[in-house]
Amino acid sequence: MVRRLSVLSALLALTGLVTGPGAAEGITDAVTSFELDNGMQVVVIEDHRAPVLQHMVWYKAGSADEPIGASGVAHFLEHLLFKGTETLKPGEFSAVVAANGGQDNAFTSYDYTAYFQRVAADRLELMMQMEADRMVNLQLAEQDILTERDVILEERNMRVENNPGALFNEQMNAAQYLNHRYGVPVIGWKHEMEELGLEDALSFYRSHYAPNNAILVVSGDADPDEVRQLAETYYGVIPANPDLPERIRSQEPPQTSERRLTFKDARVAQPYVSRSYLAPERDSGAQERAAALVLLSEILGSGTTSFLTEKLQFEQKLAVYTGAFYGGTSLDDTTFDLVIVPASGVSLEDAEAALDATIAEFMRSGVDEAQLDRIKMQLRAAQVYARDNVDGIANRYGRGLTSGLTVADIQAWPDILQAVTADEIMAAAREVFRPEASVTGWLMQNDEVTQ
């Protein structure tokens, strides 16, 4: 997973961020949360409408927790966990899940690594047994390292090296973060990935893969008492890591100068302008600023009735696409992003000027109350639909909890969104739209700035 997303994936990520079920209009998640004696947090989200569930283990360790010089090791270890243990042969974990009619996978981000299985409800014990096994009994050989390192390097080639937009996004991200590890790609810098070895993987595994650094999330047709009994049986017997490292990251210094970059690649089919601003994340017990920024992104750049779309695409016909994105679920400061894809014959310079002028117009005119009411109603409806997705709800709790939020914070989020006022949105916009904390990038094919 990467922080700076494509237009489509960013929109999907934003939708996932803001559409979880909650307390709005009487909608509540049936959540039970408790902690095992070894420090492992367990969260059960009940939905008994179908005999299926999702079993997830989230480790509070992502790429931002990697040692300097070993970028990509968190994602590398994610791959290696599908190798063998003392009781499972390489590949057997996924084979067993599939043989039981389920699906499994894993993913890595800046703040977490997560493993999941989506199975019939009566297969929960088997999933716990296998996942607990690989929490402590991973067996790696040098050949596993060589083979899987080639796999992740090929993944980087496919997803990044062969995609000028992804390369551009990496450079934008690196320019945005002057000191924080969020400026390093989750998949890793290629030259460091090439040097990852057995000890790098095992060191990260031993340091971070422990019950007192993990969160178990079970969503779907699950009984909390049964989950507790099984969790104590399989996870509860694993000793806590007494030397678990404190989660300390290098922080950003004051950003005092706007940055610009131009990325040229002959493979670029559609030039565009991207702008990012350093922005606050969702903080436990104080999520109001983040909620205002979510609504700001919806107002500015989500859908055909958004402010940027109406002004730049329909009225002025200067763009074929505009967008505004904010993903606030992170442990440390995140970004607020704007994108404009110019129409044919419109230069990147003119597109950027039009984007700036339109944002300035919005800052003068303020929030349209009728539009704000419509957006809140859409979010409310989405919260109802999201209850049908055991994957989405488990991901929402897992992302939040590994990013410093509590169960209470996650449950309160829908009501906080509904309570945001137009004045709070404008205050958040004034706080975030500071040129000195921004990076502006042009993605282009060559020296020409027109389509």
Side-chain angles (χ1 to χ4, degrees):
M1 175 182 170
V2 293
R3 167 173 297 275
R4 201 170 294 280
L5 303 164
S6 68
V7 166
L8 177 59
S9 61
L11 183 58
L12 292 174
L14 178 62
T15 302
L17 169 70
V18 300
T19 59
E25 292 203 344
I27 302 170
T28 56
D29 299 331
V31 178
T32 302
S33 179
F34 54 90
E35 187 174 294
L36 303 182
D37 291 341
N38 58 11
M40 187 175 191
Q41 184 178 3
V42 182
V43 177
V44 184
I45 310 151
E46 295 180 70
D47 182 351
H48 300 288
R49 290 176 292 175
V52 295
L53 57 78
Q54 182 147 304
H55 171 270
M56 302 191 78
V57 170
W58 296 73
Y59 292 98
K60 291 183 277 188
S63 67
D65 301 294
E66 296 166 342
I68 294 173
S71 65
V73 71
H75 174 249
F76 187 33
L77 181 59
E78 175 214 309
H79 278 243
L80 291 170
L81 239 71
F82 290 88
K83 301 298 182 182
T85 69
E86 294 177 358
T87 58
L88 293 172
K89 299 176 182 177
E92 188 177 356
F93 189 110
S94 294
V96 171
V97 175
N100 282 271
Q103 297 175 311
D104 75 315
N105 213 325
F107 48 89
T108 305
S109 187
Y110 286 97
D111 297 317
Y112 51 76
T113 307
Y115 302 83
F116 70 89
Q117 303 86 42
R118 196 171 306 128
V119 293
D122 61 359
R123 300 298 192 273
L124 176 61
E125 181 173 8
L126 178 60
M127 298 304 107
M128 281 203 194
Q129 180 182 359
M130 293 196 300
E131 195 68 81
D133 179 37
R134 68 177 174 180
M135 181 182 283
V136 288
N137 295 321
L138 182 64
Q139 300 291 302
L140 297 177
E142 193 64 44
Q143 186 56 45
D144 295 325
I145 296 298
L146 298 176
T147 301
E148 210 60 39
R149 190 170 62 196
D150 287 343
V151 170
I152 62 170
L153 285 167
E154 181 57 28
E155 183 179 346
R156 181 179 168 87
N157 286 335
M158 291 171 49
R159 294 186 177 185
V160 182
E161 304 295 341
N162 292 331
N163 184 342
L167 290 168
F168 172 61
N169 288 339
E170 276 192 349
Q171 294 301 307
M172 287 284 294
N173 217 36
Q176 180 69 78
Y177 289 96
L178 304 176
N179 196 46
H180 197 283
R181 293 287 291 180
Y182 286 167
V184 178
V186 170
I187 199 168
W189 296 118
K190 186 174 183 179
H191 68 285
E192 293 184 349
M193 295 169 65
E194 292 171 338
E195 300 299 321
L196 292 174
L198 178 61
E199 189 50 40
D200 294 309
L202 288 177
S203 176
F204 198 80
Y205 178 70
R206 296 184 191 114
S207 295
H208 298 285
Y209 279 50
N212 52 325
N213 200 41
I215 301 168
L216 170 63
V217 179
V218 180
S219 63
D221 189 19
D223 175 73
D225 291 335
E226 180 187 5
V227 172
R228 182 189 291 270
Q229 179 183 356
L230 292 173
E232 289 175 345
T233 299
Y234 293 104
Y235 293 110
V237 296
I238 301 173
N241 179 4
D243 300 316
L244 186 69
E246 191 174 351
R247 210 171 193 193
I248 299 175
R249 277 99 171 268
S250 55
Q251 296 300 301
E252 279 297 292
Q255 295 198 357
T256 58
S257 176
E258 61 182 302
R259 281 134 282 153
R260 303 187 61 86
L261 63 90
T262 300
F263 190 92
K264 302 176 183 179
D265 193 306
R267 299 169 296 177
V268 172
Q270 176 63 71
Y272 63 87
V273 179
S274 179
R275 167 84 53 72
S276 71
Y277 297 89
L278 197 67
E281 77 282 4
R282 286 170 64 184
D283 290 323
S284 180
Q287 301 181 86
E288 288 75 14
R289 282 192 310 174
L293 289 172
V294 166
L295 289 165
L296 176 65
S297 68
E298 292 279 334
I299 290 167
L300 286 178
S302 179
T304 57
T305 61
S306 68
F307 194 86
L308 294 177
T309 298
E310 287 191 345
K311 297 294 182 181
L312 295 171
Q313 291 179 240
F314 297 146
E315 292 183 14
Q316 302 177 45
K317 303 188 186 306
L318 295 174
V320 295
Y321 177 81
T322 55
F325 309 103
Y326 170 73
T329 308
S330 65
L331 195 61
D332 298 310
D333 280 349
T334 182
T335 59
F336 190 103
D337 299 274
L338 302 171
V339 174
I340 178 169
V341 180
S344 179
V346 178
S347 70
L348 294 180
E349 183 178 12
D350 288 343
E352 181 184 339
L355 176 65
D356 286 339
T358 305
I359 293 296
E361 180 182 347
F362 171 78
M363 297 303 292
R364 291 191 300 269
S365 62
V367 173
D368 182 295
E369 292 282 0
Q371 182 189 17
L372 178 58
D373 288 342
R374 286 196 303 271
I375 290 172
K376 287 183 176 180
M377 186 175 297
Q378 290 165 358
L379 295 180
R380 205 177 280 128
Q383 290 156 14
V384 176
Y385 300 139
R387 291 177 62 81
D388 295 330
N389 187 344
V390 295
D391 173 64
I393 195 169
N395 273 273
R396 186 156 37 80
Y397 276 85
R399 286 197 313 271
L401 294 170
T402 51
S403 300
L405 301 177
T406 66
V407 169
D409 292 325
I410 298 165
Q411 291 182 311
W413 179 244
D415 281 345
I416 291 173
L417 284 170
Q418 294 298 320
V420 171
T421 66
D423 287 344
E424 289 171 332
I425 293 171
M426 295 309 298
R430 287 189 293 271
E431 179 185 3
V432 166
F433 291 151
R434 297 182 300 114
E436 62 270 22
S438 73
V439 179
T440 302
W442 290 7
L443 176 66
M444 56 195 295
Q445 188 175 57
N446 50 41
D447 287 334
E448 297 180 11
V449 294
T450 58
Q451 262 298 92

